[in-house]
Amino acid sequence: MTIALLTHADCLSHVTPDGHPERVARLEHILHALEALDLKRVTAPLAADDDLLRIHPENYIRGIRSARPSNGFAQVDGDTFLSPGSVDAAYRAAGAAVRAVDLVLSGEASNAFCAVRPPGHHAETETAMGFCLFGNAALAAKHALDHHGLNRVAVVDFDVHHGNGTQDLLWDEARALVITSQQMPLWPGSGRPEETGVHDTVVNIPLAPGSGGAEMRAAYETKAFPRLRAFRPELIIISAGFDAHQDDPLANLNWATDDFAWITAELCRIADEVCSGRTVSTLEGGYDLNALAEATRAHVEELIKAAR
């Protein structure tokens, strides 16, 4: 079976100021870690504005484009910056999510991983924030629902920070189940259990600072996996953030690399049960370069194992 790896050199052209954690080296380390794996390399296309309009209004998309600087940096949020190459990178990241869905739902790939930046799960309907410009995972879900005609899609987000953008973009979407675990308290401050969406299709799983893989596994086994199985999605989309790793500098969870392998394997097992293994994963956070590369490789290796 074919595992697709979607990426583009434009994603390396999104440059951030010196010392910024969301830096070019993140993707460089990931691509180096994955280069020996048996993957179908796919060029991430630029997203079409018609695709982006599924989740963001035209004035927001136009505002991101117009904010692109000709040199240096433009700051669009307290910690979100644009360089001259950032808009093309964001269009590639969103385009990768769309193309990955097409590949998996057509059967050209059994599952797919989008090695892209900037990440997307903090981008709200009309707000860029948390290093994110467009809601890549939410876009993948809406593309699967509206373009491919699926009835049920699930998004599972295990980034250490709450996926407030994905939650906002899919808050009133009855066809999408959003499951997100996050350290709490931690920026951006959302993600409480009582945040359940208009149709009770949002599941927030707060994890205490200092907790590790055992607590995460118990939480997913009791709160996430039963909801996922009951919903029976026709596609599972993963927001794959690796900043819950014990070595990550931006948070205080203590997951080991094996924990990322475990959660990926479990999600793939459920995908096998409910949707013929169809899984699309897209990169979110992870800011210790070595931990990021190691955990990402473990994640992709589990996607490969699931397709055998």
Side-chain angles (χ1 to χ4, degrees), residues 7-31:
T7 191
H8 197 281
D10 282 353
C11 294
L12 298 169
S13 298
H14 168 50
V15 180
T16 53
D18 288 346
H20 196 284
E22 209 298 277
R23 57 204 191 273
V24 173
R26 296 181 66 240
L27 185 54
E28 292 174 334
H29 276 64
I30 286 172
L31 295 177

Side-chain angles (χ1 to χ4, degrees), residues 22 56 60 77 79-80 118-138 157 159-169 180-183 186-190 239 241 243 250 283-287:
E22 209 298 277
H56 297 296
Y60 173 76
D77 172 66
D79 51 18
T80 307
H121 74 147
H122 295 308
E124 297 183 345
T125 304
E126 296 189 66
T127 306
M129 60 185 294
F131 317 157
C132 301
L133 300 178
F134 299 134
N136 304 324
D157 184 338
D159 191 280
V160 79
H161 301 94
H162 180 235
N164 60 293
T166 303
Q167 175 174 289
D168 177 58
L169 292 166
T180 172
S181 63
Q182 54 276 338
Q183 179 182 320
L186 188 67
W187 184 95
S190 53
S239 267
D243 40 6
L250 296 192
L283 178 67
E284 301 289 358
Y287 304 101

Side-chain angles (χ1 to χ4, degrees), residues 58-114:
E58 184 176 1
N59 67 305
Y60 173 76
I61 299 167
R62 187 168 55 247
I64 291 294
R65 288 201 308 265
S66 64
R68 170 174 28 195
S70 56
N71 54 71
F73 301 104
Q75 189 168 5
V76 296
D77 172 66
D79 51 18
T80 307
F81 294 82
L82 299 180
S83 67
S86 296
V87 172
D88 284 351
Y91 268 78
R92 295 286 182 188
V98 170
R99 180 67 178 136
V101 170
D102 292 341
L103 289 169
V104 170
L105 293 184
S106 70
E108 294 178 69
S110 55
N111 52 43
F113 177 65
C114 302

Side-chain angles (χ1 to χ4, degrees), residues 21-267:
E22 209 298 277
R23 57 204 191 273
V24 173
R26 296 181 66 240
L27 185 54
E28 292 174 334
H29 276 64
I30 286 172
L31 295 177
H32 178 71
L34 300 181
E35 63 186 5
L37 299 184
D38 183 17
L39 301 165
K40 176 188 171 100
R41 268 68 179 177
V42 178
T43 299
L46 293 165
D49 281 344
D50 284 348
D51 289 322
L52 292 173
L53 286 168
R54 297 185 192 279
I55 56 170
H56 297 296
E58 184 176 1
N59 67 305
Y60 173 76
I61 299 167
R62 187 168 55 247
I64 291 294
R65 288 201 308 265
S66 64
R68 170 174 28 195
S70 56
N71 54 71
F73 301 104
Q75 189 168 5
V76 296
D77 172 66
D79 51 18
T80 307
F81 294 82
L82 299 180
S83 67
S86 296
V87 172
D88 284 351
Y91 268 78
R92 295 286 182 188
V98 170
R99 180 67 178 136
V101 170
D102 292 341
L103 289 169
V104 170
L105 293 184
S106 70
E108 294 178 69
S110 55
N111 52 43
F113 177 65
C114 302
V116 292
R117 50 184 294 279
H121 74 147
H122 295 308
E124 297 183 345
T125 304
E126 296 189 66
T127 306
M129 60 185 294
F131 317 157
C132 301
L133 300 178
F134 299 134
N136 304 324
L139 174 57
K142 293 290 282 186
H143 181 69
L145 293 166
D146 295 344
H147 179 77
H148 287 278
L150 298 193
N151 295 308
R152 296 176 309 282
V153 172
V155 179
V156 180
D157 184 338
F158 54 72
D159 191 280
V160 79
H161 301 94
H162 180 235
N164 60 293
T166 303
Q167 175 174 289
D168 177 58
L169 292 166
L170 299 176
W171 183 257
D172 60 355
E173 177 51 82
R175 301 169 296 170
L177 175 68
V178 177
I179 298 174
T180 172
S181 63
Q182 54 276 338
Q183 179 182 320
M184 183 171 284
L186 188 67
W187 184 95
S190 53
R192 297 180 301 278
E194 57 268 28
E195 298 170 24
T196 58
V198 172
H199 305 285
D200 193 31
T201 51
V202 174
V203 180
N204 277 294
I205 304 174
L207 300 170
S211 62
E215 293 86 351
M216 176 274 289
R217 295 182 191 210
Y220 269 84
E221 287 174 336
T222 58
K223 299 174 183 177
F225 298 156
R227 287 292 302 270
L228 196 54
R229 286 187 168 98
F231 191 72
R232 299 194 66 80
E234 297 163 287
L235 173 70
I236 294 176
I237 297 161
I238 301 173
S239 267
F242 299 100
D243 40 6
H245 196 283
Q246 58 197 358
D247 293 338
D248 197 272
L250 296 192
N252 304 105
L253 293 187
N254 291 315
W255 299 13
T257 298
D258 285 350
D259 294 314
F260 293 101
W262 178 85
I263 194 170
T264 305
E266 292 299 311
L267 291 172

